[in-house]
């Protein structure tokens, strides 16, 4: 099933490339005036030129680091029931592999990276702002990642670290290049009150916020319950998506554990063989294998060590439901099954094809906001205004302004009836799409629909609208008129 926003990948990647060039040129022009504008422009240029970044946030032990490993297909982040992510960690594609530890004092120190997660920061945690790791990793090319310490009232310090980075970083120009342009929120249920408050502070829109129902493989009663936990989690995600009423882009059920293990080489032939040996067991026998001190009493020769390794790698659900794949096609079939049921491909597609586009629009808005601010406050405001006017005159900036309108309307009037119209306009690659018609709709039909919708927008002038809605209405009218002209 294709999601309505999901049908124009080529259009979106074209816009991403075009906006990147355009904004990068804007930054060059801004910096050419010298003085502190050079530094400001450099920060903005870094932000514009790096791949957009997605921050992974959520409660303690929600599975954030496991997801980072699954998305990069590498064991780069420490995970486990005892291992807590203490520092905010940025991951970017880059060679050679290296880690920079950024201190709160502005000092940056290099620490060596060996195979596997970084364990020693080389300085006390409370002096560290964040760690930036560069790894030669193709998965990080379209989208960089930020792993964050769990947010929970129990761990005030962790929460502060995450806040400092994601919230302060959003308002501080000097830190624009460290900022997250989109967020994945992990939770085992709909966001709680405190989580909603935290999320709303991040300055995202429903287009740059994806919710993940994590640990989907142990959802409900888990692997040995009546219902298949993944099925249940899928159904539940649909329900949360409705409940949130468009406040997040999607709610995606995910088993990070199955995805991580499938991608990081943990599914070996030995492991698959051991799992396959459990295939003939019935549910009760399998439960015994999972729970008894000595599983050899059920399957002769099967050791507790083998059982624990299986549980660590594929979890109870993998043991229960992955046996058939392991028995029929060994490690390859098992890893393929794990990847498929984990939900990671859906999440990757949503992040890389959709959210990446909105993230680029979001940071373009940030550049425009920055220019607007400088155009009133900076001593060399004449120069800034020139850069601003040249940038704003570019046709592709239309989409950025529509996105800004969407952001402002959402934050002032979250139930505005203009939001779906703005969302459609931001995604429209053709006149037909701009009014919700199929690509091959006939011109007279498109024209009639544009007429009708323009009429409705004009009428809205009579209604009480918020300032953001007023602006959104104007922009939508301009956009529809532009499509009208394009029809000839
Ligand atoms: N069954 C199951 N276990 C998972 C899943 N994802 C993570 N886990 C386990 O949950 C534990 C915590 O996972 P992490 O990825 O370290 O969680 P985190 O959110 O990074 O934790 P903090 O950084 O301490 O907040 C580990 O033992 C993982 O193996 C999942 O999808 N299913
Ligand atoms: Mg972690």
């Amino acid at each position: 099933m294709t999601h309505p926003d999901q049908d124009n990948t080529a259009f979106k990647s074209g816009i991403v490339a075009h906006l990147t060039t355009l904004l990068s040129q804007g930054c060059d022009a801004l910096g050419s005036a010298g003085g502190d504008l050079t530094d400001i422009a450099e920060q903005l240029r870094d932000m514009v030129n790096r791949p957009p970044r997605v921050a992974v946030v959520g409660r303690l032990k929600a599975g954030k680091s496991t997801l980072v490993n699954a998305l990069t297909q590498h064991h780069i982040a420490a995970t486990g029931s005892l291992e807590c992510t203490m520092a905010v960690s940025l991951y970017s594609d880059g060679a050679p592999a290296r880690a920079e530890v950024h201190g709160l004092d502005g000092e940056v120190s290099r620490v060596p990276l060996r195979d596997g997660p970084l364990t020693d920061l080389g300085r006390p945690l409370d002096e560290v702002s964040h760690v930036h790791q560069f790894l030669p990793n193709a998965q990080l090319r379209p989208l960089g990642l930020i792993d964050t310490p769990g947010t929970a009232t129990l761990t005030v310090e962790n929460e502060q670290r995450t806040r400092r980075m994601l919230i302060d970083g959003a308002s501080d120009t000097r830190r624009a290049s460290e900022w997250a342009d989109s967020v994945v929120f992990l939770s085992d249920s709909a966001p709680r009150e405190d989580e909603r408050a935290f999320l709303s502070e991040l300055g995202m829109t429903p287009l740059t916020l994806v919710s993940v129902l994590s640990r989907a493989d142990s959802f409900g009663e888990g692997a040995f319950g009546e219902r298949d936990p993944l099925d249940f989690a899928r159904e539940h995600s649909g329900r949360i998506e409705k409940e949130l009423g468009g406040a997040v882009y999607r709610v995606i059920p995910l088993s990070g554990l199955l995805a991580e293990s499938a991608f990081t080489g943990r599914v070996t032939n030995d492991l698959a063989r051991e799992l396959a040996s459990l295939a003939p067991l019935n549910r009760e026998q399998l439960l015994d294998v999972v729970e008894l001190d000595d599983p050899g009493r059920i399957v002769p020769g099967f050791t507790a060590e083998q059982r624990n390794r299986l549980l660590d790698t594929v979890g109870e659900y993998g043991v229960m439901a992955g046996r058939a794949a392991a028995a029929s096609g060994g490690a390859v079939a098992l890893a393929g099954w794990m990847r498929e049921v984990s939900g990671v491909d859906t999440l990757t597609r949503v992040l890389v094809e959709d959210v990446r586009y909105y993230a680029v629009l979001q940071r373009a808005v940030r550049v425009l906001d920055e220019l607007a601010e400088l155009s009133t406050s900076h001593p060399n405001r004449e120069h800034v205004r020139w850069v601003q006017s040249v940038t704003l005159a570019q046709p592709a900036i239309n989409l950025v302004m529509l996105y800004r309108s969407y952001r402002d309307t959402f934050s002032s009037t979250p139930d505005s009836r203009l939001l779906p119209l703005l969302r459609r306009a931001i995604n429209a690659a053709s006149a037909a799409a701009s009014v919700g018609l199929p690509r091959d709709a006939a011109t007279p039909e498109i024209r009639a629909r544009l007429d009708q919708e323009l009429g409705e927008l004009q009428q809205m002038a009579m209604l009480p609208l918020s300032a953001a809605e007023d602006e959104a209405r104007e922009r939508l009218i301009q956009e529809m008129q532009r499509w009208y002209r394009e029809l000839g």
Side-chain angles (χ1 to χ4, degrees), residues 77-312:
T79 60
S81 42
L82 299 175
E83 302 208 65
C84 180
T85 311
M86 296 299 222
V88 173
S89 303
L90 263 62
Y91 297 98
S92 303
D93 175 45
R98 61 195 188 276
E100 294 174 356
V101 177
H102 291 243
L104 290 168
D105 55 8
E107 292 284 312
V108 179
S109 48
R110 288 253 176 125
V111 287
L113 262 186
R114 297 191 183 83
D115 242 4
L118 178 72
T119 43
D120 186 9
L121 297 180
R123 60 186 294 191
L125 181 66
D126 60 8
E127 294 177 8
V128 171
S129 157
H130 63 277
V131 181
H132 193 166
Q133 295 192 38
F134 296 86
L135 304 155
N137 185 310
Q139 314 305 320
L140 288 168
R141 251 167 247 160
L143 217 50
L145 287 169
I146 305 179
D147 190 9
T148 66
T151 54
T153 35
L154 284 175
T155 54
V156 177
E157 283 157 14
N158 273 350
E159 169 136 1
Q160 273 170 357
R161 282 186 205 110
T162 300
R163 276 177 183 274
R164 195 160 50 216
M165 188 76 181
L166 297 182
I167 298 173
D168 303 352
S171 53
D172 185 347
T173 316
R174 280 168 298 133
R175 300 178 47 186
S177 64
E178 294 164 3
W179 182 60
D181 325 84
S182 56
V183 166
V184 168
F185 170 68
L186 264 70
S187 173
D188 53 5
S189 59
R192 288 158 252 212
E193 202 47 51
D194 59 331
E195 289 168 334
R196 280 181 194 237
F198 173 74
L199 290 175
S200 72
E201 280 182 80
L202 296 177
M204 297 294 147
T205 71
L207 296 174
T208 47
L209 179 59
V210 173
S211 179
V212 162
L213 191 66
S214 68
R215 310 174 77 114
D217 56 299
S218 52
F219 197 74
E221 290 173 6
F224 295 99
E226 289 278 297
R227 279 195 76 173
D228 181 287
L230 288 179
D231 272 348
F232 193 11
R234 272 189 284 272
E235 189 193 300
H236 193 68
S237 301
R239 217 172 317 138
I240 300 178
E241 201 169 276
K242 283 210 187 73
E243 203 179 296
L244 292 176
V248 300
Y249 187 61
R250 294 278 298 274
V251 181
I252 298 171
L254 185 97
S255 169
L257 177 65
L258 288 177
E260 180 194 42
S261 292
F263 278 137
T264 57
R266 296 183 65 197
V267 181
T268 59
N269 286 328
D270 284 350
L271 186 110
R273 209 173 307 116
E274 286 156 20
L275 184 56
S277 76
L278 306 179
L281 306 187
N282 65 29
R283 184 174 165 281
E284 272 61 43
Q285 291 170 315
L286 196 61
L287 253 176
D288 284 342
V289 167
V290 167
E291 284 170 359
L292 290 179
D293 285 341
D294 176 18
R297 283 166 50 195
I298 311 296
V299 180
F302 201 83
T303 67
E305 199 178 76
Q306 290 172 327
R307 184 256 330 267
N308 296 346
R309 189 165 66 117
L310 266 177
L311 288 175
D312 274 355

